[in-house]
């Protein structure tokens, strides 16, 4: 028999037989403190999506820094993620880095989206060159689109480029998750009220279970934006927990 697929979801195939019933990973249930209720999740069917922890959003000399936004709040998830991600990897939970990574010609970016980041037409917007670094803003393989150096990306991690606020639009993210047999998504990264929120919303609309990790997420927006996002996630889309709650549950066994 030959295996077609991946370790989590596959068929066993021979010349005269196809076995579609191959067992997935054994369930690994943990119970987390969360809002509005405690939740029990199966780590064997869970992935974490880390959104936009990139130099243009989180580093000195990046895009936000260039346009005068205080980027330091966007760095708050770094240490919590560095504590959480190794523990999740040890439980075989896929780590997905979901990042802006535009085409150099910007042919997949509409004028409406370009306008969001360049309202006067003469600012440094998507694809523009930052004077301090010479990096093209959020262009795939540029310095600005790279994940910050302080976060460790392992070879087993998965990278997905996005081109909108939501990571599900015009990307392979949904196909990857379904082929991994994932039904629960942990969300982290920046900005909580923008790309993290819209990706979580789309995930729930597609039928995934959405869990926002409060301590592993941040925003450079005003506090009322963060509070509104947390309220809407708890009220309409899923649950709010924390990386600390996951670590506590893992230590408790």
């Amino acid at each position: 028999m030959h295996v077609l697929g991946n370790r989590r979801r596959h068929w066993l195939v021979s010349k005269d037989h196809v076995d579609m019933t191959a067992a997935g990973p054994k369930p690994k249930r943990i119970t987390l403190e969360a809002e509005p209720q405690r939740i029990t999740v199966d780590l064997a069917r869970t992935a974490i999506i880390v959104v936009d922890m990139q130099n243009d959003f989180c580093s000195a000399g990046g895009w936000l820094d260039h346009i005068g936004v205080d980027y330091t709040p966007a760095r708050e998830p770094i240490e919590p993620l560095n504590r959480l991600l190794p523990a999740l990897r040890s439980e075989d939970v896929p780590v997905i880095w979901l990042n802006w990574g535009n085409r150099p010609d910007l042919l997949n970016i509409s004028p409406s989206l370009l306008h969001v980041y360049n309202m006067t037409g003469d600012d440094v917007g998507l694809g523009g060159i930052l004077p301090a670094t010479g990096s093209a803003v959020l262009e795939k393989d540029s310095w600005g689109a790279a994940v910050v150096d302080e976060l460790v990306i392992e070879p087993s991690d998965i990278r997905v480029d996005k081109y909108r606020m939501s990571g599900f639009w015009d990307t392979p993210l949904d196909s990857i998750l379904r082929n991994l047999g994932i039904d629960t998504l942990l969300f982290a990264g920046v900005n909580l009220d923008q790309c993290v929120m819209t990706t979580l919303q789309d995930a729930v609309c597609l039928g995934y279970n959405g869990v926002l990790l409060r301590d592993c997420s941040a925003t450079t927006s005003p506090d009322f934006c963060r509070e509104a996002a947390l309220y809407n996630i708890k009220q309409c889309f899923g649950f709010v927990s924390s990386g600390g709650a996951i670590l506590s549950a893992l230590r408790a066994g």
Side-chain angles (χ1 to χ4, degrees):
M1 300 290 280
H2 300 280
V3 177
L4 297 182
N6 61 72
R7 184 164 51 85
R8 290 170 167 268
R9 182 170 180 257
H10 58 268
W11 291 355
L12 299 177
V13 179
S14 69
K15 184 177 180 180
D16 57 2
H17 182 219
V18 175
D19 180 357
M20 303 180 187
T21 67
K26 182 179 178 181
K28 300 178 182 178
R29 294 182 178 88
I30 63 168
T31 297
L32 307 177
E33 294 300 322
E35 297 176 90
Q37 299 146 291
R38 284 183 297 117
I39 55 175
T40 298
V41 302
D42 180 4
L43 290 182
R45 298 181 62 84
T46 297
I48 183 169
I49 298 181
V50 184
V51 181
D52 288 355
M53 293 299 298
Q54 299 167 267
N55 287 319
D56 268 337
F57 297 122
C58 306
S59 296
W63 186 28
L64 290 191
D65 189 27
H66 172 77
I67 63 176
V69 174
D70 179 9
Y71 67 89
T72 55
R75 298 182 61 81
E76 292 172 4
I78 291 174
E79 287 307 314
L81 284 169
N82 277 333
R83 291 190 292 269
L84 177 63
L85 295 183
L88 291 178
R89 291 187 188 103
S90 71
E91 297 292 335
D92 202 28
V93 173
V95 175
I96 299 173
W97 300 91
L98 178 66
N99 297 322
W100 280 91
N102 296 319
R103 291 168 55 104
D105 58 16
L106 297 178
L107 284 177
N108 58 339
I109 305 296
S110 68
S112 61
L113 188 57
L114 291 171
H115 177 257
V116 170
Y117 299 109
N118 187 0
M119 291 188 177
T120 66
D122 55 8
D123 293 333
V124 177
L126 294 176
I129 303 301
L130 293 173
T133 64
S135 175
V137 172
L138 294 175
E139 182 178 300
K140 183 176 173 61
D141 298 325
S142 70
W143 172 83
V147 172
V148 296
D149 289 341
E150 293 87 351
L151 287 170
V152 177
I153 302 178
E154 296 292 348
S156 60
D157 293 351
I158 300 163
R159 297 173 184 252
V160 177
D161 293 323
K162 69 180 179 67
Y163 326 102
R164 304 287 189 276
M165 294 287 185
S166 171
F168 283 97
W169 187 260
D170 197 24
T171 79
L173 179 59
D174 186 44
S175 296
I176 290 169
L177 294 170
R178 295 187 189 281
N179 278 320
L180 290 172
I182 298 299
D183 62 20
T184 298
L185 297 173
L186 310 173
F187 285 91
V190 297
N191 277 308
L192 166 57
D193 55 317
Q194 298 172 14
C195 292
V196 178
M197 176 71 177
T198 54
T199 304
L200 185 151
Q201 286 178 272
D202 277 355
V204 174
C205 289
L206 287 166
Y208 295 97
N209 310 318
V211 183
L212 187 281
L213 303 182
R214 184 196 300 260
D215 57 341
C216 295
S217 304
T219 183
T220 56
S221 301
D223 286 344
F224 66 83
C225 296
R226 174 185 176 87
E227 292 306 313
L230 292 172
Y231 174 86
N232 281 319
I233 290 170
K234 292 183 286 187
Q235 182 73 15
C236 302
F237 298 108
F239 301 87
V240 175
S241 186
S242 67
I246 294 173
L247 293 173
S248 294
L250 292 174
R251 286 193 294 267

